[in-house]
Amino acid sequence: MSEVYLNGKFVGSVENPVEFVDHIITERRKNSLANNINVRYDQENDEVYVESSKGRLRRPAIVVRDGKPLLTEKQVSQLEKKEITWDDLVNQGIVEYLDAAEEENALVAFKEEDLTPQHTHLEVTPLAILGLCTSLVPYANFSPTARINAGSKNQKQALGFYAANYHIRMDMDVNLLDYSQIPIVQSIMHPISDYDKHPSGQNLVVAIMSYKGYNMEDSIILNKASIERGLGRSIYYRPAIAEELRYSGGLVDEISVPDKEVKGYKSERDYRFLEEDGIISPEVFVQEGDVIIGKSSPPRFLSGMEEYNLTSNLRRESSINIKHGEQGIIDFVMLTENEEGNKLVQVRLRDARIPEVGDKFTSRHGQKGVVGLIVGHTNMPFSSTGIIPDLIFSSHSVPSRMTMSHLIELIAGKTGALSARYVDGTTFDAEPEEQLRKELLSMGFKENGTETMYNGISGEQFQAKIFIGNMYYLKLKHMVANKIHSRARGPIQLLTRQPTEGRAKEGGLRLGEMEKDTFVAHGASLLLKERFDSDRVIVPICEKSGLIGYVDARKGKAISPVLGEDSDMSYVEMSYAFKLLLDELKSIGVYPKIELENKF
Amino acid sequence: MHNEIFKEYESKLPMGIINDLKQRVPSNFSQAKLKKVLELACEEYELMKVDAGEAVGLLSAESIGEPGTQMTLNTFHFAGVAEMNVTTGLPRIIEILDCTKSLATPMMEIHLESPYNKGKEIKEFAESIKENRLKHIASEFTVNVAKAAVDVTLSQEKLTALKLTVPSVVKAIESMRGIVVKADGNIVTIKPKGKEEAINEVFKLKDKVKEIYISGVKGITQVLPIKKEEEFIIVTAGSNMKEVLQIEGVDAEKTITNDIIEIAQVLGVEAARQSVINEVKKVIDAQGLNVDLRHIMLVADTMTVTGNIKGLTRYGIVSEKASVLARASFETPLKHIIEASISGETDYLNSVVENVMLNQPVPVGTGLPGLVTKNNKKEEKAKYL
């Protein structure tokens, strides 16, 4: 007796599990059972699992009986003529969806030629073992899985044309590639996914060689002239949002040019781009600190001292301004209302992103790299036919990663470009490499894709023949303009008086615990102290009570917190973090008494 | 002649170097030349010394810690039928340095005296050390529902192999309290004392009975005789040094365990210190890493200075630190601060961590020396603010 589980719950047992499972499968194929049912017999534990729950990953396969697929040529041609649909095949039990469990009991043939009587299924196409993104990698069957995975992941970060209505959308962090192209080397997934409607890369002339060492360790070299012709140019959009919030007591925010009376008023210069309605006008070039939406908020909830303060009834300045390190042109201004009926202003900032040193590019084969140098057209190497590469890729990136598909795409791209056609690079059934080589040869090029090239600086001929061809390159969304950061002095945290953290807050780079240890290990004691001086304070300490006092500015004298003026006060330098620790100790009822003595 | 010159330098150079030179210097060496060699040796020796104020502890920590990041979690396997797993790599290092009480894989290497070390009766000897519980010598445990008792069928094979007899086994079983034991041939019937015991009590008893200790050394769960450099030794899983050293035929001078706490108890701290060094070195060598032995020695020294072995934990050597702030900065800060405030402890800010917290120069390297000058002003007022 084998136990039967339906969606993981025990429902009963059967005498003959194999027959039982076969019966379910036949009924499902006859369409008398729902086709979302999957069943599996686990021989080892003698248990049958029937699954109909949602959330299982399933994939289609053609049913095979006695070593022959049920799908006939006739049905294929009917499909092509759109006389029948895919669903018909599923309903007729010709194609069925397997889940991970049922696959365990199935033997799926990769190609029709491989079929034997033992096989139960046939792949619809070998490409079906890959997902959508991975199917877009050409010649993927020539590279290691890890690289193909990296390649398909990189495609998700590529700049392209994400939505046709981008000009009325207010998405965060939008990148659009200016001159996107359809890849020369395609897979059948490209037309299926309408890739020509939203391409995300450009066909570049790529030379695999070294150039003064500026393309070592996965960096790449770009041709300046190519950039000037639009290589890798993109547009970056970022919206700013301001809302007229309603507060208790009928108070509201006001979007307008702030009044000079407002608390926190910047300077007239900062508001110079605002129109009468307090909103900036489109096509204005703005830089860090400029106000784009003027706004003022009602005073904060009155508390403590402020109640007696005459100036406290002023409104607060709460304008939206361009953040540190950002710049751009105001692209679009939108006035609307949100769900609560509050006035909502959205302003979109546009910034042209021209490739620069540090921007990230990749081919479709997991061969990502960062721009190491931009070389003027005059200094780029050139071929005997006068071809100048757009991009120089390092040969050292290939052997250890074994991305043969990268090299084959280069040949395929070259063939495609020269014969003005698209090359089918579909994984598992692409145009064979030999054929491409023959075609290259027939067009008067070397069949291995290499060419005689000349040093762009000296004009000398290179001894080696350079492998050069066309490849589809993607610009990835990681650009230096969004990441570059430095700080010498800058904002500090209120609580600890230490520098803030992170680029957005213009923060410092932390000299951490382990870095500190290296200073100690070198015995660089005073250098270490200097590095940790960011929150240095000088506090008066009462020599009798050992507590931190304060300075009475009127008397110009340090006062002890417990003994008043009847104590000797000494000024001691320490980190503010330690002063804070002492305060926190006091708050838990511990009396941290500092005993002073002469250091020397 | 040479000896006199060598004697002169005995205060300047360690004996090891002098002896080394004595052996290497040819006897026809001139005195002047020898002096020159010794002077040079002195100079080199001085250069090799650690400078005053060098942060040796931190250097050791970094020198052990950095290769530690490269250590992988692989376990070392014995070749052979009875395979044994040994913790190595980072988990083992943590075990040693933290002075963990119960090791993941306690092990002994038992060296034997002649004739056992030549391989004579080695298997029998090994088996006699192995701990045997009732489940190891019984072939079957059944619950006799009618009699409300557990019937244990002893395996004659195993009894003869272990030189045990039924009465001796019965005697061993009787050491357990609350039972009545009867033997009938190879079948031993164990009945709970008292009348009319519930049947589930008998089932519970069945499981308890399995673990009754019969013979061998407690704690030794596996034995594996192996040949190591012309000598037969017994490698065991489980460790019980105190008992093993008392067995006749065991070479007590060579037998070791990887349980450092046990070594400290049986052989004393000095042995434990050496064992810490050996065990850490074993792991580092096995991983193909290179750490200077003196770093490990320093760690072993700090673990054992007090005369007891202490781990590098908040209960171990960290709790010995003089500074409250240093202890608080390691783990459980509040606990240390509150305890310090109850007893009114003073922190003299003599070490590194405290001074980093206060942003004062740390007393290592350039921060160590002070400068004494004459102060002309009677009372120098602060010029700050």
Side-chain angles (χ1 to χ4, degrees):
Chain A
M1 290 295 270
S2 355
E3 291 172 349
V4 180
Y5 294 86
L6 175 62
N7 293 331
K9 278 190 185 141
F10 177 74
V11 286
S13 48
V14 289
E15 202 66 63
N16 194 335
V18 181
E19 211 169 85
F20 175 73
V21 167
D22 280 346
H23 185 63
I24 291 181
I25 291 176
T26 356
E27 289 304 314
R28 183 183 64 199
R29 286 177 189 168
K30 275 197 251 165
N31 210 15
S32 56
L33 263 180
N35 61 34
N36 66 350
I37 289 174
N38 284 101
V39 60
R40 177 199 173 205
Y41 174 51
D42 179 358
Q43 224 156 10
E44 206 168 291
N45 299 316
D46 197 22
E47 285 166 352
V48 176
Y49 305 103
V50 184
E51 284 289 333
S52 69
S53 56
K54 59 185 175 182
R56 288 167 298 136
L57 196 62
R58 299 158 85 229
R59 70 192 200 90
I62 299 166
V63 178
V64 170
R65 196 170 293 148
D66 305 324
K68 285 199 180 68
L70 294 188
L71 185 73
T72 59
E73 288 295 329
K74 191 184 154 207
Q75 281 158 328
V76 175
S77 61
Q78 274 180 315
L79 260 178
E80 273 170 10
K81 286 179 211 149
K82 296 200 173 159
E83 286 166 8
I84 55 168
T85 62
W86 174 264
D87 286 340
D88 292 330
L89 295 182
V90 176
N91 291 336
Q92 285 165 31
I94 293 166
V95 172
E96 67 182 357
Y97 283 88
L98 303 176
D99 72 350
E102 195 172 332
E103 248 186 333
E104 207 79 356
N105 284 351
L107 182 61
V108 186
F110 199 53
K111 289 174 183 163
E112 201 171 345
E113 306 95 85
D114 299 342
L115 280 173
T116 66
Q118 281 83 48
H119 280 101
T120 59
H121 295 87
L122 170 67
E123 290 291 353
V124 176
T125 161
L127 196 67
I129 66 167
L130 304 176
L132 189 135
C133 260
T134 315
S135 329
L136 295 175
V137 180
Y139 293 97
N141 49 326
F142 292 91
S143 285
T145 333
R147 290 290 143 192
I148 299 308
N149 275 326
S152 76
K153 271 180 206 151
N154 283 341
Q155 294 204 59
K156 296 170 195 168
Q157 300 186 357
L159 308 190
F161 188 68
Y162 80 113
N165 63 344
Y166 71 91
H167 59 286
I168 53 162
R169 292 172 69 118
M170 283 292 185
D171 299 304
M172 204 60 198
D173 284 303
V174 170
N175 283 291
L176 290 173
L177 190 65
D178 279 2
Y179 304 99
S180 43
Q181 298 173 346
I182 304 166
I184 296 172
V185 185
Q186 300 188 344
S187 79
I188 57 162
M189 211 43 138
H190 283 89
I192 291 172
S193 64
D194 282 342
Y195 201 78
D196 56 334
K197 302 265 164 49
H198 54 87
S200 52
Q202 290 167 326
N203 294 296
L204 309 186
V205 177
V206 175
I208 300 189
M209 59 182 286
S210 135
Y211 188 93
K212 299 207 291 187
Y214 278 94
N215 61 348
M216 57 167 99
E217 294 288 334
D218 279 340
S219 51
I220 52 167
I221 285 162
L222 290 184
N223 182 347
K224 199 173 178 201
S226 308
I227 293 170
E228 280 159 4
R229 288 186 203 106
L231 186 155
R233 262 170 201 264
S234 61
I235 285 179
Y236 178 72
Y237 292 113
R238 186 206 283 280
I241 301 163
E243 186 186 344
E244 277 194 350
L245 277 174
R246 286 169 205 279
Y247 300 91
S248 57
L251 298 161
V252 278
D253 283 341
E254 191 195 344
I255 292 175
S256 63
V257 183
D259 198 73
K260 276 189 181 164
E261 304 283 273
V262 161
K263 205 159 119 194
Y265 186 80
K266 293 178 195 314
S267 71
E268 229 164 287
R269 188 184 176 275
D270 291 323
Y271 301 106
R272 70 193 185 280
F273 295 125
L274 300 188
E275 292 186 358
E276 279 148 46
D277 59 357
I279 307 166
I280 200 162
S281 51
E283 300 304 322
V284 169
F285 178 74
V286 284
Q287 273 174 310
E288 145 179 11
D290 291 337
V291 173
I292 44 176
I293 306 168
K295 197 175 88 173
S296 61
S297 303
R300 264 188 240 271
F301 190 72
L302 300 176
S303 65
M305 286 300 289
E306 274 184 69
E307 239 172 296
Y308 309 98
N309 196 335
L310 288 168
T311 55
S312 72
N313 284 333
L314 290 176
R315 293 175 69 82
R316 279 180 303 122
E317 139 83 2
S318 56
S319 300
I320 310 284
N321 52 341
I322 300 289
K323 283 183 200 139
H324 170 74
E326 274 190 38
Q327 58 165 49
I329 292 160
I330 301 300
D331 186 66
F332 186 59
V333 175
M334 189 167 85
L335 279 93
T336 179
E337 226 172 44
N338 72 359
E339 300 88 25
E340 284 118 50
N342 296 341
K343 185 181 176 188
L344 194 70
V345 178
Q346 299 196 29
V347 174
R348 195 170 61 201
L349 187 74
R350 154 164 51 91
D351 191 21
R353 292 286 161 86
I354 298 159
E356 55 184 319
V357 171
D359 281 357
K360 194 177 176 186
F361 285 81
T362 182
S363 74
R364 288 175 289 178
H365 312 276
Q367 286 285 15
K368 56 179 185 272
V370 143
V371 177
L373 185 69
I374 293 169
V375 179
H377 177 253
T378 45
N379 287 336
M380 282 298 267
F382 53 92
S383 78
S384 49
T385 49
I387 296 291
I388 297 169
D390 298 312
L391 189 150
I392 300 176
F393 173 82
S394 168
S395 50
H396 292 294
S397 304
V398 180
S400 59
R401 305 196 231 277
M402 299 179 283
T403 50
M404 296 317 295
S405 57
H406 184 91
L407 304 178
I408 298 170
E409 194 201 326
L410 199 108
I411 295 235
K414 190 174 186 176
T415 315
L418 290 166
S419 56
R421 66 181 181 91
Y422 295 114
V423 177
D424 180 14
T426 308
T427 308
F428 299 115
D429 30 34
E431 266 184 53
E433 189 194 335
E434 295 87 77
Q435 207 174 300
L436 296 168
R437 280 165 172 260
K438 268 182 204 156
E439 203 177 327
L440 259 185
L441 198 61
S442 72
M443 288 183 289
F445 284 85
K446 269 204 219 46
E447 59 136 24
N448 61 11
T450 61
E451 273 173 51
T452 303
M453 287 190 76
Y454 299 86
N455 186 329
I457 302 165
S458 64
E460 288 168 298
Q461 186 183 322
F462 287 127
Q463 259 188 0
K465 301 279 174 272
I466 305 297
F467 191 41
I468 183 169
N470 287 68
M471 281 195 80
Y472 195 61
Y473 253 82
L474 317 165
K475 186 185 186 187
L476 300 182
K477 65 179 182 187
H478 306 285
M479 283 167 282
V480 263
N482 291 328
K483 302 193 171 177
I484 193 164
H485 175 53
S486 67
R487 162 182 171 137
R489 276 157 288 157
I492 53 166
Q493 277 162 16
L494 201 64
L495 181 69
T496 61
R497 296 207 188 161
Q498 283 171 1
T500 50
E501 190 193 332
R503 186 180 114 99
K505 284 172 270 174
E506 215 197 324
L509 295 171
R510 186 184 170 82
L511 184 100
E513 193 87 13
M514 292 174 92
E515 289 76 18
K516 175 212 79 184
D517 288 349
T518 63
F519 281 85
V520 178
H522 278 89
S525 178
L526 293 149
L527 178 59
L528 174 69
K529 181 182 171 293
E530 197 174 297
R531 288 297 316 243
F532 279 158
D533 264 354
S534 63
D535 63 341
R536 167 176 171 268
V537 281
I538 290 157
V539 287
I541 287 176
C542 168
E543 287 187 22
K544 282 185 185 146
S545 66
L547 290 171
I548 294 167
Y550 59 93
V551 176
D552 189 324
R554 249 183 298 179
K555 291 177 186 158
K557 208 171 162 190
I559 309 289
S560 164
V562 283
L563 299 164
E565 291 181 43
D566 306 332
S567 178
D568 290 329
M569 302 295 285
S570 288
Y571 290 98
V572 172
E573 180 194 301
M574 61 171 76
S575 65
Y576 189 81
F578 186 69
K579 193 235 144 200
L580 190 69
L581 173 71
L582 296 178
D583 292 342
E584 286 191 10
L585 289 180
K586 282 175 223 159
S587 77
I588 58 165
V590 174
Y591 174 12
K593 189 175 176 184
I594 297 173
E595 280 169 25
L596 298 177
E597 66 174 72
N598 201 320
K599 223 172 176 182
F600 307 105
Chain B
M1 216 39 185
H2 281 180
N3 277 340
E4 276 169 34
I5 301 168
F6 274 124
K7 205 151 201 151
E8 221 175 277
Y9 281 88
E10 259 167 28
S11 58
K12 292 176 184 169
L13 287 169
M15 279 316 282
I17 294 175
I18 292 188
N19 288 335
D20 220 26
L21 284 170
K22 267 183 191 169
Q23 276 180 16
R24 284 172 198 228
V25 167
S27 51
N28 57 354
F29 226 51
S30 79
Q31 282 189 30
K33 259 188 177 172
L34 181 62
K35 266 206 156 150
K36 212 172 177 186
V37 166
L38 283 164
E39 276 306 319
L40 216 67
C42 280
E43 205 177 296
E44 283 291 312
Y45 182 69
E46 286 304 315
L47 279 176
M48 296 312 284
K49 273 185 176 173
V50 170
D51 293 321
E54 191 82 84
V56 264
L58 204 129
L59 280 174
S60 290
E62 285 188 339
S63 305
I64 298 171
E66 193 278 333
T69 59
Q70 297 169 32
M71 267 192 256
T72 45
L73 246 174
N74 54 8
T75 48
F76 168 68
H77 296 273
F78 275 93
V81 198
E83 203 181 71
M84 269 191 265
N85 260 320
V86 186
T87 17
T88 51
L90 200 61
R92 177 61 187 150
I93 294 264
I94 293 169
E95 220 172 53
I96 301 164
L97 299 185
D98 284 359
C99 236
T100 314
K101 284 231 169 68
S102 50
L103 305 182
T105 51
M107 262 182 69
M108 285 189 83
E109 263 181 35
I110 303 173
H111 289 251
L112 304 170
E113 281 171 349
S114 167
Y116 299 110
N117 64 352
K118 299 285 178 300
K120 193 198 163 219
E121 291 172 357
I122 185 95
K123 242 186 181 151
E124 290 72 22
F125 193 91
E127 283 302 317
S128 75
I129 292 171
K130 188 178 167 185
E131 177 190 86
N132 287 297
R133 293 182 184 269
L134 192 55
K135 63 181 172 187
H136 295 121
I137 57 163
S139 56
E140 203 185 353
F141 291 88
T142 44
V143 172
N144 193 322
V145 183
K147 284 193 280 178
V150 184
D151 284 342
V152 183
T153 317
L154 298 176
S155 153
Q156 189 58 51
E157 229 176 282
K158 285 187 177 152
L159 286 180
T160 38
L162 292 164
K163 292 174 189 153
L164 289 169
T165 55
V166 179
S168 69
V169 173
V170 169
K171 214 176 167 194
I173 299 172
E174 275 170 343
S175 65
M176 192 174 147
R177 270 187 243 159
I179 51 165
V180 183
V181 191
K182 264 182 223 162
D184 179 18
N186 268 354
I187 299 169
V188 180
T189 312
I190 304 166
K191 225 178 162 173
K193 241 178 211 168
K195 288 162 211 168
E196 301 291 316
E197 284 290 346
I199 200 77
N200 63 334
E201 287 295 318
V202 182
F203 273 98
K204 273 186 196 163
L205 183 70
K206 186 182 130 186
D207 289 329
K208 265 193 212 164
V209 149
K210 285 179 182 171
E211 299 300 329
I212 294 176
Y213 166 75
I214 305 289
S215 71
V217 179
K218 271 187 185 170
I220 309 286
T221 53
Q222 257 186 73
V223 285
L224 182 70
I226 56 164
K227 199 176 182 186
K228 197 178 172 188
E229 294 157 12
E230 300 301 307
E231 196 188 1
F232 281 89
I233 61 165
I234 300 168
V235 176
T236 69
S239 172
N240 189 341
M241 199 171 205
K242 202 175 171 185
E243 305 251 317
V244 167
L245 292 188
Q246 285 166 9
I247 297 170
E248 205 146 309
V250 169
D251 187 344
E253 285 178 19
K254 287 185 188 164
T255 298
I256 51 160
T257 171
N258 68 349
D259 190 334
I260 290 157
I261 293 184
E262 210 179 346
I263 290 181
Q265 282 163 356
V266 179
L267 302 174
V269 250
E270 281 303 323
R273 185 196 91 102
Q274 192 56 46
S275 157
V276 169
I277 297 168
N278 294 345
E279 291 290 326
V280 174
K281 189 169 164 44
K282 212 196 280 175
V283 178
I284 286 167
D285 287 348
Q287 300 275 328
L289 302 170
N290 186 25
V291 175
D292 195 295
L293 192 66
R294 284 166 285 188
H295 292 307
I296 305 166
M297 284 163 74
L298 185 67
V299 173
D301 281 339
T302 45
M303 284 171 76
T304 49
V305 262
T306 53
N308 293 312
I309 185 140
K310 293 218 152 115
L312 309 178
T313 61
R314 74 181 113 124
Y315 308 107
I317 61 157
V318 177
S319 69
E320 308 275 305
K321 284 197 176 189
S323 161
V324 195
L325 293 176
R327 263 179 284 136
S329 73
F330 184 68
E331 271 167 19
T332 56
L334 211 55
K335 189 187 130 201
H336 287 293
I337 285 164
I338 289 176
E339 273 172 17
S341 75
I342 289 167
S343 58
E345 255 184 82
T346 310
D347 193 320
Y348 293 98
L349 308 178
N350 284 330
S351 177
V352 176
V353 206
E354 309 93 279
N355 284 295
V356 170
M357 288 173 82
L358 268 80
N359 196 21
Q360 300 281 323
V362 289
V364 285
T366 55
L368 202 55
L371 188 66
V372 184
T373 57
K374 234 177 201 173
N375 199 351
N376 287 332
K377 286 174 198 166
K378 255 192 177 175
E379 195 185 326
E380 196 175 0
K381 277 190 180 170
K383 288 172 203 147
Y384 309 108
L385 279 177

